[in-house]
Amino acid sequence: MNFIIAASSATHDASTIGGHGTFHYILIMALMMTGIYLILSRSNMIKSIIGLNLFQVAVIMFYVSMGKVEPGTAPILMAEDVPHAEHDGHHDEAHDADSHDAPPAAHSPDPKKDVELGAHTLDHSKKVTVGPTTSKVSKITYSNPLPHVLMLTAIVVGVATTALALSLVVRINEHYGTIEEDELEDKGVLI
Amino acid sequence: MEIVYSISAFGILFSMMLALIRAAQGPTVFDRILAVNMFGTMTVLFIGVVGYLTNRPDFLDIALVYALMNFIAIIAVLRYRDFSVDPAEEAENHEHS
Amino acid sequence: MIIHGITIILFLFLYVIAIVIGRSRNLFAAVMLSGIFSLISACLFVIMDAVDVAFTEAAVGAGVSTVLMMIVLNLTSDRESPPVQPKVFPLLVALLTGGVLIYATKDMPAFGDPEALIHQSQTTNHYLWHSFEESHIPNVVTTVLASYRGYDTLGETTVVFTAAVAVMLLLGHVRESETPPKLINDPIALVGAKMLIPYILLFALYVQFHGDFGPGGGFQAGVMFAAAFVLHGMVLSPKHTLKAAPALIIEKLVALGVLLYAAVGIYCLFKGGNFLEYDVLLSHGEKPNPHGQHIGILLVEAGVGLTVFAAMLTLFYKFALRGKA
Amino acid sequence: MSILEIIGSVFLLSGTLVCIIGGIGIVRFPNFFARIHAASVPDTLGAGLCLLGMVVLTCGLSPEQGYDAKLIALIIVKLVSIGIFIFVTSPISGHALAKSAYRDGLGVEPEDDAKSQTQEGAS
C-alpha cells in the first residue's frame, strides 16, 4: 500500500485543474473565521484572547501549509544528504565548485521523476539505495524550511504578547472589578 | 506495514474523538480535566504512530514534550481552580512543605 | 490518501473545539479546550512537516499559555456573563472576511505543489542545499533561524524581552494578597513532580544542544526550562521557587540573553566581518567556515534560550505572586 | 513481514484496541468516578502496549532503510523514556484529580450528574 505515491500524483493532477489542490487552505480560512467571530462577538476579555489565539494558530497553520512540498519530509537533512565532511575546518574548493552547478530546486525539475524518487526513499517496505554523498543531487524532497523558521519565532512572540494582554486584563479587573466589555460600557469607561 | 500504522492511527484518532466528546459535554469540570488528560496521552501515541507512518520515527522528542506539557497543564488546572479547601488543612500542609 | 484523511479528521476536531469554546459559558472549560486545540494543531504541524513549529506549539500553547490563563482566571473570574443580545454584526464581519480569504485561495498554488513559486526561490534552495557545507548542521531550520536570518531572531528575542518588561511594569508592584496562594495539597503530586523536575531540566538541555541535529533549539529549550520551574512553583508555592531562582537574578537574565546575542554580533564586527557573520569566528580567513558558524549558532541559541527561559519564568512569577483583587 | 514486525504489529494494534475501549468507557460510564477507571486503562495499558509495539518495530528496522544501530538505540531510549514519563505522570494526575473531585463532594450515584451540572453552573 503506497499512499505517498497516490497522494502526490493526485496533487500533481489537481494542480492543473485546481481540484482538491487548495482544499487545505479553505479549511484553514474557515478556522480563521471562527477565530475572528470569537474575537468580535464576545464581550468577555479572556474569551477574546482565546479567540485571538485561535486566529493566530490558523494564521501560523496557513504559513506552514504553504511550505509543504508533497512527497516531502521535514527539513532536517537525513543521513544520505549529510556527507561526512571534513571537520578540521578546511573547506574543499573542488567540493564547493561542484555544488554550485547543482540543481537549484528543492525538488528535481522533472515532477514525474521527482514523484518516483520520492516514493523510492519514503516507501517503508522498499530498500533505500544510498546515493553518492558528495553530490548535491538529493533523492529526498524536503519541505520548505523558511515558513517554519518565521512561524517558530512567531509562536513564542505570540505567547509573550498574550501574556501582556492577560496582564492588562488583570489590571482592568483590579481597577474596575469586571472583565466584561459590556459592563465597562455600562460604567461609562468604554465608549 | 503502512496498513498497520494507519489502522493504529485511525484507532487512536477515534479514541481522541471519544475523549473530545467527554471534554465537550462535561458535565462536571473534573470530567473535562479527565478527558483532557486522556486526550494528551492519545496525542503522544498519535505523534509516535504518525512518525512511523511517515517513516521518520526520530521525531519522538515531540511526543516526549507533549507528555511533559500535558502533566504541567493538568497540575496547573488542579492548582489554580478554586476548589473549596479547608483552610486549617491548608495551613498544616504549608508547614510540611 | 491516509495522511489526507488524518488531516481532515484533525481539522474537524479543531472546528468542534472552536465551536464548543464559543458556546461554553465556563471560561475554565474554554481554557482547557484551547489547550487541546493547540495539541491538535501541533499534530497538524507534524503532518505538514513542520516539526520545529510543532515542538514550539506543544511547549508554548499547551504548556505556558494554559498555565498563564489558569492563573488569570483564578485572579479574575471564571464565568462569562450571558450576552445582552445576540450579535449579528460580528458574524457578518467574520463571514465577509472568510469569504474574501477563501475567494483569494483560488489563486494559490495547490497544497504541496513542488512547482509553487515559493519553492523555486534561490534563497530557499541555498538554505536547503548549501547550509550543511557552510555550517555542518543537519537541521536546516536551526541554521536559517540562527545564522541566515539571525537579524530576525535577534528582533524576535528583543520582542520577548520587551513583552517581559512590559508585564513587569504592569504587574510590577506585588500586591499582598489577603488569601495566600493555596498549595496543591497533595504529597503524591509533590513527590512525583520533585522526581520529574531534574529529568525535565536534563531534557531541556538535550533540546537546547540537540537542536542542531533534530527538532529543538533555544526557543523550545527555554520554554521547557521555565516549565520545570513552573512545575516546582505549582506543586509547592511560587514563594518556594523564588528561593531557588530569585526574581532579581531571573529578571537580569532576560536582558543578559539578548545582550549575549547582540554581543556575538558585535564581536563579529570587531573580527572584521559583518554583524552576526559567524564565519569570522575562530577563523584564519577562509570564508565558508563551519567551525565559526557552529560556535556562533551555539552562542546565539544559548542567548535565545536564556531570554526565553527568564522571560517565561518572570511572567509566571508576576502572575502567580499577584494577590486576588 | 518479519517475525519482529508481526509481534510489533500485534502489540500496537492491541494497544490501539485498549485505547478505543477506554475511550468508549469514558463516554458511556455513568459518573465521574466510574469514568476515571475507564480513563486509566488507555493511559497505562494502552500507552504501554503501543509503546512496546513501537519498540519491537524499531528493533525490526534495518540499516538498509537508513537506520543504523545508533539511531535505533536512540529511538528506543526515547520510547522507553516516554513510557516511563507516562507511567509516572498519568497516575499522579489521576490521583490528584480523584482527590480534588472527592473533596469537592462529587457523588458516585448516576443521578449525581444532573446535580453536579447545576453545581458547575452555579459555582
Side-chain angles (χ1 to χ4, degrees):
Chain A
M1 179 152 200
N2 204 332
F3 62 93
I4 293 169
I5 292 183
S8 54
S9 55
T11 317
H12 276 294
D13 296 343
S15 63
T16 50
I17 54 169
H20 96 288
T22 56
F23 184 60
H24 280 77
Y25 302 129
I26 295 173
L27 289 176
I28 293 166
M29 294 307 167
L31 205 58
M32 274 189 209
M33 262 158 67
T34 54
I36 295 176
Y37 178 70
L38 217 56
I39 297 170
L40 292 176
S41 68
R42 295 299 150 167
S43 92
N44 187 296
M45 289 180 188
I46 291 179
K47 212 54 172 294
S48 298
I49 293 174
I50 293 173
L52 202 61
N53 272 342
L54 301 198
F55 185 69
Q56 186 196 350
V57 166
V59 171
I60 288 169
M61 203 175 283
F62 180 59
Y63 262 78
V64 165
S65 70
M66 285 197 291
K68 168 81 178 156
V69 179
E70 191 52 78
T73 180
I76 297 170
L77 301 180
M78 286 168 102
E80 40 210 284
D81 282 331
V82 175
H84 294 289
E86 58 288 316
H87 282 281
D88 52 1
H90 289 292
H91 197 78
D92 196 349
E93 275 306 317
H95 182 77
D96 199 26
D98 174 46
S99 55
H100 272 304
D101 47 36
H107 58 91
S108 39
D110 180 8
K112 267 213 180 87
K113 189 178 147 213
D114 187 32
V115 169
E116 273 181 24
L117 288 173
H120 265 296
T121 30
L122 288 167
D123 187 2
H124 198 75
S125 55
K126 272 182 201 154
K127 211 172 139 180
V128 175
T129 48
V130 179
T133 48
T134 48
S135 161
K136 283 290 147 190
V137 186
S138 175
K139 294 198 276 35
I140 303 172
T141 314
Y142 295 104
S143 286
N144 197 330
L146 197 53
H148 303 179
V149 175
L150 302 177
M151 290 305 108
L152 191 157
T153 51
I155 291 174
V156 179
V157 169
V159 77
T161 48
T162 303
L164 187 57
L166 286 174
S167 67
L168 285 172
V169 169
V170 168
R171 288 304 297 268
I172 288 170
N173 183 54
E174 282 169 4
H175 203 272
Y176 298 108
T178 178
I179 52 169
E180 301 280 340
E181 283 168 17
D182 289 344
E183 289 174 27
L184 285 175
E185 254 172 68
D186 293 343
K187 289 184 181 181
V189 181
L190 208 70
I191 304 153
Chain B
M1 280 315 288
E2 269 83 8
I3 191 79
V4 173
Y5 293 132
S6 27
I7 290 173
S8 186
F10 278 110
I12 292 170
L13 273 178
F14 183 67
S15 183
M16 281 159 97
M17 187 191 77
L18 294 170
L20 193 58
I21 291 172
R22 182 46 75 193
Q25 72 179 27
T28 66
V29 75
F30 300 106
D31 288 299
R32 293 184 203 274
I33 305 173
L34 186 67
V36 169
N37 192 12
M38 185 181 141
F39 197 93
T41 313
M42 292 299 109
T43 323
V44 172
L45 297 180
F46 180 73
I47 289 291
V49 172
V50 165
Y52 282 84
L53 189 60
T54 54
N55 204 6
R56 297 222 40 189
D58 39 349
F59 296 149
L60 289 163
D61 291 348
I62 302 170
L64 199 50
V65 175
Y66 275 45
L68 162 69
M69 286 302 161
N70 197 36
F71 179 60
I72 287 180
I74 299 297
I75 294 289
V77 168
L78 295 171
R79 172 77 167 74
Y80 286 104
R81 157 96 176 143
D82 236 345
F83 299 117
S84 45
V85 184
D86 189 8
E89 192 184 354
E90 185 196 323
E92 185 196 337
N93 211 320
H94 206 287
E95 285 166 14
H96 276 301
S97 52
Chain C
M1 262 7 264
I2 289 165
I3 292 288
H4 279 277
I6 288 174
T7 313
I8 289 168
I9 292 175
L10 289 175
F11 266 111
L12 286 180
F13 282 0
L14 290 183
Y15 295 138
V16 170
I17 292 172
I19 291 167
V20 172
I21 288 176
R23 289 175 57 85
S24 160
R25 289 262 157 273
N26 190 343
L27 289 178
F28 187 74
V31 170
M32 275 195 301
L33 286 169
S34 77
I36 298 189
F37 188 92
S38 57
L39 278 185
I40 297 176
S41 57
C43 286
L44 274 168
F45 291 144
V46 171
I47 287 173
M48 290 176 185
D49 292 343
V51 274
D52 283 271
V53 181
F55 212 119
T56 321
E57 178 68 37
V60 166
V64 176
S65 256
T66 312
V67 172
L68 290 182
M69 288 218 181
M70 283 296 160
I71 300 174
V72 171
L73 286 189
N74 188 38
L75 287 176
T76 56
S77 132
D78 66 347
R79 299 297 306 169
E80 185 186 8
S81 69
V84 192
Q85 75 273 359
K87 294 175 177 172
V88 189
F89 177 67
L91 189 66
L92 273 179
V93 171
L95 283 178
L96 193 69
T97 320
V100 169
L101 287 171
I102 287 173
Y103 178 69
T105 58
K106 280 182 66 156
D107 287 341
M108 301 267 304
F111 176 76
D113 182 10
E115 302 288 309
L117 210 56
I118 167 175
H119 308 308
Q120 304 294 338
S121 141
Q122 284 297 319
T123 351
T124 304
N125 290 303
H126 185 88
Y127 291 161
L128 265 177
W129 301 124
H130 296 268
S131 70
F132 187 78
E133 76 200 40
E134 284 176 1
S135 60
H136 287 188
I137 287 177
N139 188 352
V140 184
V141 174
T142 301
T143 324
V144 178
L145 180 86
S147 178
Y148 293 120
R149 299 189 72 89
Y151 280 120
D152 261 18
T153 313
L154 178 58
E156 310 272 14
T157 317
T158 316
V159 172
V160 173
F161 165 76
T162 315
V165 170
V167 172
M168 277 184 226
L169 290 175
L170 278 168
L171 303 178
H173 61 288
V174 177
R175 288 167 62 109
E176 276 309 315
S177 50
E178 302 89 49
T179 52
K182 284 195 312 293
L183 298 173
I184 197 163
N185 232 340
D186 194 343
I188 291 180
L190 185 65
V191 170
K194 276 186 171 173
M195 204 167 80
L196 285 175
I197 284 169
Y199 296 104
I200 297 172
L201 291 174
L202 189 67
F203 184 56
L205 279 176
Y206 166 81
V207 170
Q208 171 87 43
F209 293 110
H210 196 260
D212 298 355
F213 309 103
F219 283 103
Q220 295 92 331
V223 173
M224 293 186 58
F225 263 115
F229 284 87
V230 167
L231 184 59
H232 183 263
M234 285 190 306
V235 290
L236 286 163
S237 77
K239 293 216 167 103
H240 286 82
T241 318
L242 270 180
K243 282 180 199 154
L248 270 178
I249 294 177
I250 297 295
E251 282 164 15
K252 289 188 177 62
L253 285 184
V254 184
L256 192 69
V258 181
L259 286 177
L260 176 61
Y261 200 137
V264 173
I266 291 170
Y267 183 70
C268 291
L269 281 181
F270 276 116
K271 292 279 281 185
N274 289 322
F275 190 62
L276 292 173
E277 187 185 11
Y278 311 133
D279 283 334
V280 295
L281 300 173
L282 299 179
S283 144
H284 305 291
E286 66 267 34
K287 216 42 203 273
N289 176 11
H291 271 251
Q293 287 283 344
H294 216 130
I295 199 89
I297 289 173
L298 195 74
L299 286 172
V300 159
E301 290 271 8
V304 170
L306 212 55
T307 296
V308 172
F309 155 67
M312 295 297 152
L313 195 53
T314 309
L315 295 180
F316 173 71
Y317 279 158
K318 289 300 168 201
F319 281 102
L321 288 170
R322 197 157 186 87
K324 221 169 179 171
Chain D
M1 275 171 86
S2 70
I3 185 80
L4 278 177
E5 284 186 334
I6 292 169
I7 295 173
S9 307
V10 168
F11 276 130
L12 191 59
L13 291 179
S14 53
T16 311
L17 190 66
V18 169
C19 288
I20 293 174
I21 291 169
I24 293 171
I26 206 175
V27 171
R28 301 255 320 160
F29 277 3
N31 61 45
F32 171 75
F33 288 104
R35 283 180 210 129
I36 204 167
H37 281 107
S40 69
V41 173
D43 271 2
T44 50
L45 183 64
L49 280 174
C50 281
L51 291 169
L52 191 62
M54 286 184 214
V55 168
V56 174
L57 286 169
T58 311
C59 294
L61 292 174
S62 54
E64 294 96 64
Q65 286 162 312
Y67 298 97
D68 55 348
K70 247 182 358 193
L71 187 58
I72 289 175
L74 183 66
I75 293 172
I76 289 175
V77 165
K78 279 178 192 166
L79 283 170
V80 169
S81 51
I82 290 173
I84 291 172
F85 215 98
I86 289 181
F87 268 42
V88 172
T89 58
S90 115
I92 290 174
S93 44
H95 164 83
L97 191 58
K99 198 174 171 182
S100 310
Y102 177 71
R103 188 174 293 140
D104 219 35
L106 215 63
V108 290
E109 298 298 320
E111 60 263 27
D112 280 339
D113 256 9
K115 203 169 72 190
S116 50
Q117 174 125 46
T118 56
Q119 265 178 10
E120 194 190 25
S123 72

